[in-house]
């Protein structure tokens, strides 16, 4: 059974790129949901079963850090693995994200990197060929 | 700290290749790259941190269309709306800026980046003091990049 994934990024281009990369990665996919803001992400989480969330950090309104904190504080969502997809390079800021129990994928990224990170995070052993 | 001009060119080349699948063409020795041909579009990202400034990426319309289509996985450039083209260029500028600051400042300092702003045209012809710029000749056309440093990075990072 495929993974239901939530992509939260204010850039429609980046959401499309992440979705395309997931398609190419060989990760077994179920439904892929897209949200353009933190609040939209929360609304989707309440409406659909999500196995994994891919979240951008710099977003207007509720940013990625606030969204992660809301997820971690909610018993219904706190178990959901979160991957931050960001161009952030500051080890200081990446460190504060990792303290929240998230994994970080740096932009730009490849399908191979996405598959490797998700497999490690979920303890999966997917075939490398899409 | 490495020379900002050199770092700007290296980082921009890498990101344009890996994010937008746009590749540099080698130029003949001594020949200057042609200026981007109008109409132009510019995406600018402002940043604040140990040192502050802005990064601008300026591309001609045809390059913008190809850049956006590549990022969105579209074969036909005309399928891409103007809004999507601006969003794609803004994302490229954002990723270049983040990666550039990481190389210039090292891994520890924290910078706050504003959302990319896109506009028709090129930045002011007379660059602000502290501006470093580079011009990249891609297969699709020419790209100009300008990094405005409002404070001296070397002094700020001492």
């Amino acid at each position: 059974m495929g993974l239901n994934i939530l992509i939260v990024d204010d850039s429609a281009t980046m959401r499309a790129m992440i979705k395309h990369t997931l398609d190419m990665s060989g990760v077994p996919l179920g439904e892929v949901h897209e949200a353009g803001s933190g609040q939209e992400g929360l609304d989707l989480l309440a409406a659909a079963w999500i196995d994994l969330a891919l979240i951008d950090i710099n977003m207007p309104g509720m940013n990625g850090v606030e969204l992660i904190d809301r997820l971690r504080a909610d018993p219904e969502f706190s178990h959901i693995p979160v991957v931050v997809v960001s161009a952030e390079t500051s080890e200081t800021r990446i460190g504060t994200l990792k303290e929240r129990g998230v994994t970080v994928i740096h932009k730009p990224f490849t399908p191979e990197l996405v598959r490797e990170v998700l497999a490690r995070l979920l303890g999966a052993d997917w075939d490398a060929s899409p | 700290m490495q020379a900002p001009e050199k770092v700007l060119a290296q980082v921009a080349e890498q990101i344009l290749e890996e994010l937008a699948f746009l590749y540099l063409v080698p130029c003949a020795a001594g020949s200057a790259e042609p200026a981007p041909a109008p109409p132009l579009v510019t995406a600018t990202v402002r940043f604040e941190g140990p040192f502050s400034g802005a990064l601008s990426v300026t591309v001609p319309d045809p390059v913008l269309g190809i850049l956006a289509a590549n990022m969105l996985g579209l074969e036909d450039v005309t399928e891409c709306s103007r809004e999507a083209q601006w969003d794609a260029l803004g994302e490229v500028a954002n990723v270049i800026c983040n990666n550039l600051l990481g190389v210039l400042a090292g891994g520890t300092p924290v910078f706050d980046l504003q959302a990319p702003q896109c506009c028709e045209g090129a930045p002011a012809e007379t660059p602000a003091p502290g501006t470093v710029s580079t011009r990249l000749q891609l297969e699709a056309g020419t790209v100009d990049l300008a990094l405005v440093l409002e404070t001296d990075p070397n002094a700020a990072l001492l």
Side-chain angles (χ1 to χ4, degrees):
Chain A
M1 205 160 122
L3 293 172
N4 290 339
I5 293 182
L6 171 65
I7 303 169
V8 188
D9 196 310
D10 60 318
S11 164
T13 304
M14 191 46 68
R15 293 198 304 273
M17 284 195 83
I18 293 170
K19 192 167 184 294
H20 187 56
T21 304
L22 285 168
D23 286 337
M24 294 169 62
S25 70
V27 172
L29 297 176
E31 290 182 12
V32 178
H33 301 270
E34 295 183 38
S37 68
Q39 185 57 55
E40 230 181 281
L42 277 181
D43 294 344
L44 271 165
L45 279 159
W49 178 264
I50 299 295
D51 297 303
L52 174 84
L54 301 172
I55 299 176
D56 183 28
I57 289 301
N58 285 325
M59 294 185 287
M62 185 192 298
N63 66 29
V65 174
E66 290 172 73
L67 174 59
I68 292 163
D69 287 344
R70 293 279 290 269
L71 293 185
R72 292 295 180 245
D74 189 329
E76 199 179 342
F77 305 132
S78 59
H79 67 283
I80 296 174
V82 172
V83 177
V84 167
V85 183
S86 172
E88 179 64 59
T89 55
S90 167
E91 288 159 15
T92 309
R93 194 166 266 160
I94 289 170
T96 63
L97 289 169
K98 288 184 173 172
E99 284 168 9
R100 290 171 162 83
V102 307
T103 303
V104 178
I105 289 179
H106 185 72
K107 295 177 187 173
F109 45 79
T110 62
E112 293 76 17
L113 176 68
V114 170
R115 183 180 61 239
E116 182 193 321
V117 169
L118 298 197
R120 196 175 344 116
L121 181 63
L122 301 171
D125 183 20
W126 298 310
D127 185 344
S129 55
Chain B
M1 196 179 82
Q2 298 181 55
E5 295 88 343
K6 194 176 174 187
V7 177
L8 176 60
Q10 287 172 341
V11 170
E13 179 184 349
Q14 182 208 338
I15 301 302
L16 286 165
E17 282 188 11
E18 294 180 7
L19 193 66
F21 314 107
L22 293 173
Y23 297 93
L24 253 67
V25 288
C27 283
S31 68
E33 290 91 347
L40 304 172
V41 176
T42 298
T44 302
V45 177
R46 279 202 53 78
F47 58 88
E48 291 183 3
F51 55 90
S52 301
L55 174 79
S56 294
V57 182
T58 301
V59 299
D61 248 6
V63 174
L64 178 64
I66 295 167
L67 175 146
N70 286 356
M71 290 176 74
L72 291 166
L74 302 174
E75 300 229 342
D76 184 356
V77 173
T78 59
E79 286 179 50
C80 205
S81 70
R82 195 65 171 168
E83 184 188 7
Q85 291 179 352
W86 283 30
D87 183 53
L89 183 63
E91 193 59 31
V92 166
N94 178 56
V95 176
I96 291 175
C97 190
N98 261 300
N99 281 273
L100 180 65
L101 292 171
V103 178
L104 289 176
T108 309
V110 173
F111 290 89
D112 290 317
L113 275 68
Q114 291 181 4
Q117 301 293 317
C118 285
C119 66
E120 306 282 352
E125 277 197 21
T126 309
T131 300
V132 295
S133 58
T134 192
R135 177 168 288 163
L136 301 177
Q137 183 62 44
L138 308 173
E139 289 170 352
T142 306
V143 176
D144 274 353
L145 296 108
L147 173 66
V148 180
L149 295 168
E150 294 164 356
T151 46
D152 180 1
N154 288 306
L157 294 171
L158 278 177

